[in-house]
Amino acid sequence: MTHPTPFTHTMENRITFLDWTRCIACLMVMLVHACEYYYLNDDGFHLATADDAFWVSAIDSACRASVPLFVITSSYLLFPLSRPTCDFFRRRLTRVLLPGVVWMCVYCAAFGGWERLPFNFPDAGGHLWFVPMIIGVYLLMPLLSPWAEKVSKRELQWWIALWFLTTTFPFVRKLWEVLFGAPSFGAIPYLWGECPWNDYGTFYYVSGFFGYLLLGLWFRRYLTSLGRPATLVIAVTLLIIGYLTSALVFYLRMPLSPSPITLPYAFAVDLEMSWMFCSTGVAFTVIGWFMLFSLIRNDGRLYRHVICPAAKVSYGTYLMHMLILTPVVNILARHFPTPAAIVLTAALTFISATLVSAAISKIPYLSRLV
């Protein structure tokens, strides 16, 4: 069974709205990381003022869809596989893993942490967690492609609904703690077969970024059938619901006084419960943003000369951006109010990293790094 790919424009066979999605998602990542300056430091959670809490909640909650949007974009383009498995992995390893490993080495050379590299990404390049995660998604694609070729719309929607149930689990775990307290046999409440000697509970294999893989497939096949007015209404509704869920849960759990407040890093991790990439509110915003971006038809001069070139090197922009963002936010935070500093930091970082990435793309052999 073959399915057409909608919204295709003839410019090197690119899909216009996906290029817009890549660029906006990349900017969202930088807004998220600029926000982190205002509630995280080397010691853990640190909040200077109640105003910072408000602006971090307001801006960051709108941008947590960033990484899942990259996953949906990859699924939209690649799933199910259209080429042999070996060829698919060769291209993915060359285009994704190789640049990721090289940039991990760059961060290790600049900030240390070589001893961790055989096991995980370096601390100084925390955003590089994306590389092993997306490789994991790619590993699923050959296994699921035969099923994806013949799955019906109804069956696909049932699997997406099952995955969506798993996005409530961060809240279910918190409910467990409220009702019964933290378990004596582990740091977090275990659910449905999880225990200290088993991490793989009932829903383990249908949770996480697996759902965004399925959503990319659904969008490619069925999104256009909704029509533009319905797509717009659904997108805006989901964005509002998802944003309020993410923002209010985060803000209302934030300690606002006495300022400044410093708490262990574990507190910040727990605080971000409603910001987890596979939690309910964020999932709503991801779907809303993607549906909204799918309506973009602008392939004029701005697209040809700015958006398309930036999208082509957006992976490099993502990989290198923390080398630029950290010094930029340290400077701007001293001279601008919080919301202006966050937005300016993200914008300047995105522009600078994109220009550097574009320059690298012109150098023979190094172009693979971006």
Side-chain angles (χ1 to χ4, degrees), residues 34-83:
C35 285
E36 288 181 352
Y37 177 90
Y38 291 93
Y39 71 97
L40 293 175
N41 63 18
D42 292 338
D43 298 321
F45 176 84
H46 179 80
L47 181 68
T49 68
D51 283 346
D52 286 354
F54 172 81
W55 287 113
V56 164
S57 302
I59 297 172
D60 205 321
S61 299
C63 299
R64 284 283 158 166
S66 52
V67 170
L69 286 171
F70 290 133
V71 179
I72 289 181
T73 298
S74 290
S75 173
Y76 192 103
L77 290 169
L78 300 173
F79 184 64
L81 301 190
S82 60
R83 59 181 72 247

Side-chain angles (χ1 to χ4, degrees), residues 33 36 107 116 120-132 265 318 321-322:
H33 290 157
E36 288 181 352
Y107 282 88
R116 287 192 55 175
N120 212 336
F121 55 87
D123 285 339
H127 65 295
L128 298 175
W129 71 271
F130 174 82
V131 179
Y265 184 76
Y318 176 90
H321 80 272
M322 286 304 294

Side-chain angles (χ1 to χ4, degrees), residues 164-247:
F164 202 83
L165 173 67
T166 70
T167 69
T168 67
F169 289 179
F171 303 94
V172 175
R173 295 184 194 277
K174 184 55 62 178
L175 178 61
W176 171 299
E177 287 187 10
V178 171
L179 294 177
F180 308 113
S184 59
F185 48 80
I188 62 171
Y190 293 106
L191 299 175
W192 302 300
E194 300 169 348
C195 57
W197 54 91
N198 177 46
D199 293 329
Y200 311 105
T202 304
F203 298 96
Y204 179 86
Y205 300 100
V206 292
S207 61
F209 287 91
F210 162 83
Y212 295 119
L213 178 67
L214 300 187
L215 280 169
L217 176 64
W218 191 94
F219 284 137
R220 184 165 63 88
R221 290 184 178 174
Y222 306 116
L223 183 55
T224 52
S225 64
L226 292 176
R228 290 178 65 86
T231 299
L232 180 60
V233 170
I234 295 171
V236 172
T237 302
L238 292 177
L239 274 173
I240 292 172
I241 295 172
Y243 176 79
L244 291 177
T245 301
S246 302

Side-chain angles (χ1 to χ4, degrees), residues 20-36 56 58-70 127 239 243 275 277 282 284-293 296 314 317-318 321-322 325 342-343 345-347 349-351:
W20 283 91
T21 301
R22 284 193 191 94
C23 289
I24 297 171
C26 205
L27 179 60
M28 285 180 173
V29 168
M30 292 164 204
L31 285 164
V32 166
H33 290 157
C35 285
E36 288 181 352
V56 164
I59 297 172
D60 205 321
S61 299
C63 299
R64 284 283 158 166
S66 52
V67 170
L69 286 171
F70 290 133
H127 65 295
L239 274 173
Y243 176 79
W275 281 358
F277 292 116
V282 174
F284 273 127
T285 62
V286 172
I287 297 169
W289 279 124
F290 193 87
M291 292 178 72
L292 200 61
F293 296 153
I296 298 176
S314 58
T317 300
Y318 176 90
H321 80 272
M322 286 304 294
L325 186 144
I342 291 172
V343 173
T345 295
T349 301
F350 178 76
I351 293 169

